Amino acid sequence: MLEDVQKGLEGVLVAESGLSSIDGDAGRLIYRGYDIETLAREATYEEVLYLLWHDELPTAEELEAFADSIAEERELSADVLETVRRLAASGEEPMAALRTAVSALSADEPEPDADPEDLDATLRKGRRITAKIPTILAAFERYRMDEAPVDPHPDLDLAENFLYMLTGEEPDDIAAETIDQALILHADHGLNASTFTSMVVASTMADVYSSVTAGIGALSGPLHGGANQDVMEMLIEVDESDRDPLDWVKNATDEGRRIPGFGHRVYNVKDPRAKILQARCKELSEANGDEKWYDYTTTIEEYLTEEQGLVEKGIAPNVDFYSGTVYYQLGIPVDMYTPIFAMSRVGGWVGHVLEYQEDNRLIRPRGRYTGPEEAEWVPIDER
Ligand code: ACO
């Protein structure tokens, strides 16, 4: 006899993992034992990728070789660039374009026939995908703006190079550090919906292009990665309403609106990543001499937590609540926020695929059948 249905797999343990762990009551996140605060302060995104994919922190030489191996794989083939151009010209959404382009990348894969059990080959493929996602996204944005894509800069790190390809100019230190930090914060987060999706695909021993493509699809939804864009759109709505943000949020909650960027299946307290991004948002606001967005977010947060008592219900700001205002202040288009999340989370997807396939077991749960046990067949012309 099967146990009760665990809707949404809430609280169900399906795998063991050494990549990351969340303490939802303490508001703590670690990657392989290192606090997210330490990693955000001390590491680079490439260093975090190495940690996730190789179990331990790299030495300086290892990191240099690893970062170079990613930088070498940034360029897209003419065919993939043309696919990206067409997607931009057709007005496709960036997440849908990314999903299609990542799937198209497999046609250029130099090891297409590698044995799926060859995890070194999977790692190399994962590295190629990770290296090319920023190039896809920047090229998509450039084509949308009727501008030519910018070739990757071999001497810049992944975050800096992304901003360089997006704008055609080398970013200043604050912008480069902010994006690098955002990538670190989003790189892994236990068995979230998109990571689990990637693992389900990997558990069939399908290749990592399929896992990453599926992960992008899962991340795109408003209950997952899509929330960062929704938060910024909400703040723009507040701004354009000409209402005081406090009035706006009171009215929104009276109407029963679900506030994006609040609530999380695992955290019962404020997400530690939100705290780090909140501090970044404040810094950028002060540097720009315009604290409007920071004020809107903090006013909404205070009202929801103190007046509406959402915190008592375990509903607190998640990572998406502050990432939008950070990206907005860097001049990044609002619909690129979720793709930036994907650009980072690919590190987690690839890490979990590698870890799961090392001791693979097909993921195949059961559903409780609620249809009739017996039905009498009626020929079509008699129905
Ligand atoms: N605003 C207002 N109330 C909320 C919110 C919110 N953002 N989130 C949850 N609640 C309330 C629900 O209305 C519900 O109240 P009730 O018990 O009185 O009916 C209660 O909190 C529980 O909500 P569930 O949807 O059952 O919680 P669940 O754990 O399934 O959902 C989720 C988590 C999907 C993230 C939810 O909080 C949500 O929709 N948040 C907004 C979207 C969002 O920010 N997503 C990003 C998540 S983080 C990430 O993916 C990176």
Side-chain angles (χ1 to χ4, degrees):
M1 196 59 184
L2 290 172
E3 304 270 312
D4 282 345
V5 171
Q6 302 297 323
K7 215 173 163 200
L9 294 182
E10 190 160 353
V12 176
L13 282 176
V14 296
E16 293 187 326
S17 173
L19 271 83
S20 63
S21 172
I22 305 161
D23 181 336
D25 295 322
R28 181 168 185 244
L29 168 64
I30 53 172
Y31 297 167
R32 296 203 185 278
Y34 299 96
D35 276 312
I36 195 67
E37 290 81 5
T38 309
L39 293 169
R41 196 178 56 244
E42 306 288 346
T44 62
Y45 177 62
E46 280 90 335
E47 209 168 351
V48 165
L49 280 180
Y50 189 101
L51 175 68
L52 293 174
W53 295 351
H54 295 274
D55 300 9
E56 56 186 7
L57 287 172
T59 62
E61 296 77 44
E62 284 167 339
L63 179 59
E64 198 185 334
F66 178 73
D68 286 349
S69 72
I70 295 179
E72 280 161 16
E73 300 281 1
R74 285 177 182 155
E75 281 189 25
L76 303 178
S77 68
D79 283 348
V80 171
L81 258 184
E82 176 56 13
T83 302
V84 173
R85 189 195 64 73
R86 283 171 185 232
L87 289 162
S90 71
E92 186 62 287
E93 297 285 328
M95 279 300 274
L98 180 64
R99 188 195 60 221
T100 304
V102 166
S103 185
L105 283 180
S106 71
D108 298 328
E109 172 50 52
E111 303 178 86
D113 300 324
D115 183 342
E117 290 188 18
D118 178 354
L119 296 184
D120 290 334
T122 301
L123 176 60
R124 289 191 293 274
K125 291 179 183 182
R127 198 170 62 206
R128 290 183 192 115
I129 300 171
T130 303
K132 288 175 170 57
I133 285 180
T135 319
I136 291 172
L137 293 175
F140 178 83
E141 178 58 20
R142 303 281 301 179
Y143 281 131
R144 260 198 326 185
M145 303 302 290
D146 277 333
E147 292 183 61
V150 174
D151 288 338
H153 192 315
D155 301 331
L156 301 181
D157 68 22
L158 191 142
E160 261 181 313
N161 177 57
F162 169 66
L163 292 174
Y164 167 73
M165 292 187 296
L166 201 63
T167 62
E169 284 169 26
E170 286 192 34
D172 62 30
D173 288 349
I174 295 185
E177 272 168 29
T178 304
I179 291 294
D180 192 62
Q181 197 173 54
L183 296 181
I184 292 170
L185 297 179
H186 289 85
D188 197 41
H189 208 233
L191 298 201
N192 57 87
S194 57
T195 300
F196 185 57
T197 301
S198 296
M199 287 166 62
V200 171
V201 175
S203 83
T204 70
M205 295 311 280
D207 91 346
V208 66
Y209 285 89
S210 302
S211 289
V212 173
T213 305
I216 294 168
L219 186 71
S220 66
L223 299 188
H224 192 8
N228 56 9
Q229 176 173 337
D230 293 345
V231 171
M232 198 61 226
E233 283 168 354
M234 171 184 77
L235 297 174
I236 292 170
E237 188 187 324
V238 174
D239 196 45
E240 288 175 351
S241 73
D242 280 334
R243 292 175 76 164
D244 180 80
L246 189 58
D247 281 349
W248 187 93
V249 65
K250 278 182 184 164
N251 188 53
T253 46
D254 288 348
E255 284 174 356
R257 273 177 76 163
R258 190 170 273 226
I259 306 298
F262 257 74
H264 197 279
R265 186 55 74 72
V266 185
Y267 290 113
N268 298 314
V269 296
K270 190 165 175 174
D271 183 330
R273 302 167 301 172
K275 292 183 189 167
I276 298 170
L277 286 169
Q278 180 175 7
R280 273 273 156 185
C281 174
K282 190 170 195 325
E283 263 173 54
L284 288 169
S285 305
E286 285 168 358
N288 294 339
D290 179 3
E291 300 191 24
K292 175 172 78 178
W293 303 113
Y294 183 73
D295 290 344
Y296 287 1
T297 43
T298 47
T299 303
I300 293 173
E301 178 180 343
E302 272 167 33
Y303 174 75
L304 292 176
T305 49
E306 286 162 24
E307 303 291 324
Q308 286 284 318
L310 281 190
V311 163
E312 279 91 74
K313 282 169 109 186
I315 313 289
N318 60 51
V319 66
D320 294 322
F321 197 64
Y322 284 97
S323 60
T325 44
V326 165
Y327 301 147
Y328 193 85
Q329 294 184 86
L330 295 179
I332 296 174
V334 175
D335 63 359
M336 293 300 277
Y337 299 176
T338 315
I340 292 176
F341 193 158
M343 187 166 111
S344 160
R345 185 56 57 86
V346 65
W349 297 332
V350 170
H352 283 275
V353 165
L354 289 165
E355 184 184 59
Y356 194 77
Q357 286 187 333
E358 208 171 339
D359 182 22
N360 190 60
R361 182 158 172 82
L362 176 72
I363 297 175
R364 203 301 187 192
R366 297 274 294 272
R368 175 173 295 142
Y369 176 65
T370 57
E373 279 309 323
E374 282 186 47
E376 196 173 325
W377 176 254
V378 180
I380 195 159
D381 52 358
E382 292 171 25
R383 284 175 217 158

